Amino acid sequence: MAETTIFRTVQSEAYPDEVATLSVARGQQTPRRQVELERTSQIRKLSPFMDETGVIRSDSRISEATFASHDTRFPIILPKGHQVTNVLLFWYHRKFLHSNGETVVNEVRQRFFVSMLRTEVRKIPKKCPLCKLKRAMEGKTLATPRMAPLPAARLQAFERPFSCTGIDYFGPIAVRVNRSTPKRWVALFTCLTTRAVHLEVVHTLTTESCKQAIRRFIGRRGAPAEIRTDRGTNFVGANNELRMEMNKLDGQLAEAFTNTNTRWVFNPPAAPHMGGAWERLVRSVKTALAAMYTSRVPNEETLATLLVEAESIVNSRPLTFIPLQSEQQEALTPNHFLLLSSRGVVQPPKTWMEPKLACRGDWQLCQTMLDQFWRRWVREYLPTIARRTKWLEESKPLELGDLVIVVEEKIRNGWIRGRVVEVCPGRDGRVRDAVVQTADGFLRRPVAKLARLDLNGCKTEPEVSDQLNGSGNCSDAAQEMSSSKTPRRDHICNTATANSAQMDRDRTRSQTVGDVVATKRQSE
């Protein structure tokens, strides 16, 4: 049989000394127990012997299990890492529909013995094109670089709160207005440095509502120097109009934003991990609101009161652990920077002084307290955000021309493929987002949403026919190969081993055809 020739060739290449020793022992009809191999032999512990077809098998301990097949009791020994072994494992992998590796291990053991079989089976999905595509869709081959350093907006110490602000929306929340229940959203403004929050009710998701919410925020907290948001359509619209009005230096928006040069920074689309500073606070506000909600739908006034209470609760949360220097000293909270205390009810101690020195004394006292809180922020809170929690390892950066899959969680069965046409490095020089050309246009996505398709290694992978659907043994495959009308070309092995096997098969076919012709002549 062709497979027997292949097995003999593989074993002669991997174990030439063992084949020679066992061939001599077989010719002299030496008992199996008396055959001694060198101590350096790789298969010495397997008790190998050569059967009548010249294939080396393992004399296992279950030889007396007559109910098992001959191949199970005496499995064929194949070397790990050989091309034929890899082709065999790849065939089993595809036959069982790219399933669990243990299934392939169990089926291979029914007939073959391969050293470190589990390790070899784990390598197959890394070479299989379909498994590569599946892993890419699951986000396991994302080219996520090491976590970037914190932006300067997160480290603006000794500055006014809300100088650097992040904005996000959450909702909708149903409210009761007369007999109707319209929806309302909440705009969350967070100070990126002190982690304080400010909540505003938004009636719609339009740009006009966004501008009005920002104007109310500026009237209470002051104009920020930098605003960071994701790429929501309402935020993009507000930023575009803000730029137009600020360039004209007149108009309603310029007056609304106090003519300040507010810088607006957008995160790449579909990059919520880049806005973790406000995404985490959205969850904290939702938790506080859930604790105060009842089954009754609130009205507009009740919703405004609930948001103020939730804002107070979130701003009173501790940023650090409770200090141990003094029992009276409390943990640092965002309210310390807004109200000079955690709840705003503890007034700083005052002493009577002359009217001429009163203003100066109160001002100096306020500045001293704020400086004290900022020094505690630098000493206690800043070291807690210095550590990287994930994305610790370096990864191969995306390059121009790389084929990628855009991972979209909201699209079912959507395998958006494209080619990288532009890379956008961050401040540390690592590629953080890229522009991908797809069939529908150009998309800008963070590298955490782009899975690289490593198709270069797939060109040399073995091509295994899906028509081999037998019992999983190579004997079934050999029977189908021999019974087929047209000879099956092996595109899997292009080495001398496969060529010799093909020559043996052709020689066998030619002998069979010759016998048939001779039989017909004799009958005539």
Side-chain angles (χ1 to χ4, degrees):
M1 297 175 64
E3 65 172 11
T4 303
T5 305
I6 295 177
F7 295 152
R8 288 201 309 264
T9 306
V10 171
Q11 292 175 347
S12 62
E13 291 180 356
Y15 315 114
D17 298 336
E18 290 82 351
V19 170
T21 304
L22 296 177
S23 299
V24 173
R26 177 191 170 200
Q28 298 177 357
Q29 297 183 354
T30 306
R32 300 178 185 175
R33 299 181 179 179
Q34 298 181 5
V35 178
E36 292 290 340
L37 297 179
E38 297 182 359
R39 293 184 178 274
T40 58
S41 175
Q42 300 178 2
I43 60 176
R44 179 173 177 271
K45 297 182 179 180
L46 303 179
S47 302
F49 71 94
M50 184 174 291
D51 61 4
E52 60 278 359
T53 61
V55 177
I56 300 178
R57 297 176 178 266
S58 174
D59 190 3
S60 64
R61 298 178 62 189
I62 60 173
S63 58
E64 299 299 329
T66 56
F67 54 86
S69 64
H70 182 266
D71 290 335
T72 304
R73 291 181 295 160
F74 307 103
I76 300 174
I77 300 176
L78 293 178
K80 68 174 182 178
H82 196 277
Q83 188 172 1
V84 174
T85 306
N86 294 336
V87 169
L88 182 68
L89 298 180
F90 191 76
W91 184 84
Y92 274 96
H93 174 74
R94 291 189 59 177
K95 174 177 170 40
F96 292 97
L97 305 179
H98 312 265
S99 60
N100 193 329
E102 289 299 321
T103 303
V104 178
V105 170
N106 180 65
E107 293 298 327
V108 171
R109 282 180 173 176
Q110 302 299 317
R111 194 177 179 206
F112 304 97
F113 180 89
V114 180
S115 59
M116 301 180 66
L117 178 58
R118 280 189 174 85
T119 304
E120 297 298 317
V121 170
R122 292 194 195 102
K123 298 178 182 178
I124 299 301
K126 299 178 181 179
K127 303 176 182 179
C128 176
L130 186 60
C131 292
K132 284 184 179 181
L133 196 59
K134 181 180 178 182
R135 286 171 57 85
M137 293 301 301
E138 294 175 355
K140 296 181 179 180
T141 59
L142 299 177
T144 306
R146 193 176 70 175
M147 183 176 289
L150 291 174
R154 293 288 306 276
L155 309 173
Q156 295 294 327
F158 301 97
E159 294 287 343
R160 176 180 57 83
F162 293 101
S163 295
C164 299
T165 304
I167 309 177
D168 196 12
Y169 276 26
F170 69 90
I173 300 175
V175 296
R176 188 179 71 256
V177 179
N178 297 329
R179 294 186 178 182
S180 62
T181 56
K183 296 179 181 180
R184 299 290 184 261
W185 287 262
V186 179
L188 182 142
F189 300 82
T190 174
C191 177
L192 299 178
T193 304
T194 63
R195 311 292 290 132
V197 298
H198 177 91
L199 304 179
E200 290 287 344
V201 180
V202 180
H203 286 219
T204 61
L205 295 178
T206 60
T207 302
E208 294 297 328
S209 295
C210 178
K211 292 187 293 183
Q212 294 179 26
I214 296 176
R215 183 62 188 91
R216 294 194 298 269
F217 164 76
I218 290 177
R220 297 177 182 177
R221 302 294 184 182
E226 180 177 326
I227 297 178
R228 287 179 173 265
T229 60
D230 54 12
R231 285 191 174 271
T233 54
N234 48 359
F235 296 139
V236 174
N239 178 64
N240 293 336
E241 294 192 23
L242 175 62
R243 287 182 177 178
M244 293 172 58
E245 296 296 335
M246 289 180 64
N247 291 334
K248 297 178 182 178
L249 294 179
D250 58 357
Q252 298 179 356
L253 269 181
E255 295 177 358
F257 288 96
T258 65
N259 288 326
T260 57
N261 292 324
T262 301
R263 191 165 68 99
W264 206 310
V265 180
F266 286 109
N267 290 337
H273 65 282
M274 294 186 178
W278 51 80
E279 296 288 353
R280 182 60 183 88
L281 290 178
V282 167
R283 176 181 171 184
S284 300
V285 174
K286 287 183 177 180
T287 303
L289 290 175
M292 295 183 290
Y293 269 158
T294 61
S295 58
R296 185 177 179 180
V297 179
N299 55 21
E300 297 272 10
E301 187 178 5
T302 304
L303 177 61
T305 305
L306 291 177
L307 290 180
V308 172
E309 290 293 335
E311 177 183 321
S312 177
I313 293 174
V314 174
N315 285 338
S316 62
R317 75 192 188 282
L319 296 177
T320 60
F321 293 100
I322 299 177
L324 302 178
Q325 287 79 4
S326 174
E327 296 181 357
Q328 290 77 19
Q329 192 178 12
E330 56 187 358
L332 191 64
T333 65
N335 270 339
H336 280 93
F337 303 94
L338 302 177
L339 307 175
L340 302 183
S341 63
S342 61
R343 298 291 296 178
V345 295
V346 180
Q347 298 296 330
K350 292 185 179 182
T351 57
W352 184 87
M353 60 182 61
E354 297 180 4
K356 295 182 179 180
L357 302 177
C359 294
R360 186 176 63 180
D362 289 343
W363 171 252
Q364 291 176 352
L365 177 62
C366 181
Q367 290 297 316
T368 301
M369 294 187 64
L370 285 177
D371 290 343
Q372 178 184 358
F373 294 146
W374 278 116
R375 283 193 294 269
R376 288 188 58 190
W377 183 88
V378 173
R379 186 175 61 254
E380 300 176 12
Y381 175 71
L382 192 61
T384 62
I385 61 176
R387 183 174 60 90
R388 289 181 171 87
T389 57
K390 61 178 181 178
W391 302 332
L392 307 176
E393 304 294 336
E394 294 286 354
S395 62
K396 182 181 178 181
L398 288 178
E399 299 177 353
L400 295 179
D402 285 350
L403 297 178
V404 295
I405 286 183
V406 181
V407 180
E408 298 284 357
E409 293 86 354
K410 297 182 180 179
I411 302 179
R412 298 185 61 183
N413 299 328
W415 295 24
I416 305 177
R417 307 185 191 184
R419 186 182 299 274
V420 177
V421 295
E422 181 183 354
V423 294
C424 306
R427 299 186 310 277
D428 55 354
R430 298 180 178 88
V431 178
R432 299 293 173 183
D433 53 287
V435 178
V436 181
Q437 182 181 8
T438 64
D440 299 329
F442 295 89
L443 296 176
R444 182 175 180 179
R445 290 293 184 270
V447 294
K449 298 291 184 181
L450 300 179
R452 182 190 292 107
L453 291 178
D454 187 11
L455 301 180
N456 295 329
C458 300
K459 298 179 181 179
T460 58
E461 289 300 319
E463 298 180 4
V464 182
S465 175
D466 291 332
Q467 298 178 357
L468 301 181
N469 296 323
S471 61
N473 296 331
C474 288
S475 58
D476 299 334
Q479 292 176 4
E480 294 184 13
M481 291 164 56
S482 60
S483 60
S484 60
K485 295 182 180 179
T486 58
R488 177 180 177 270
R489 292 285 182 180
D490 240 349
H491 297 285
I492 318 171
C493 304
N494 296 324
T495 60
T497 304
N499 293 335
S500 61
Q502 185 68 29
M503 294 172 61
D504 292 338
R505 286 196 296 269
D506 297 339
R507 190 182 300 109
T508 303
R509 292 192 186 95
S510 61
Q511 293 177 358
T512 305
V513 173
D515 295 340
V516 172
V517 173
T519 304
K520 288 184 178 181
R521 290 180 178 178
Q522 292 178 2
S523 60
E524 292 175 357

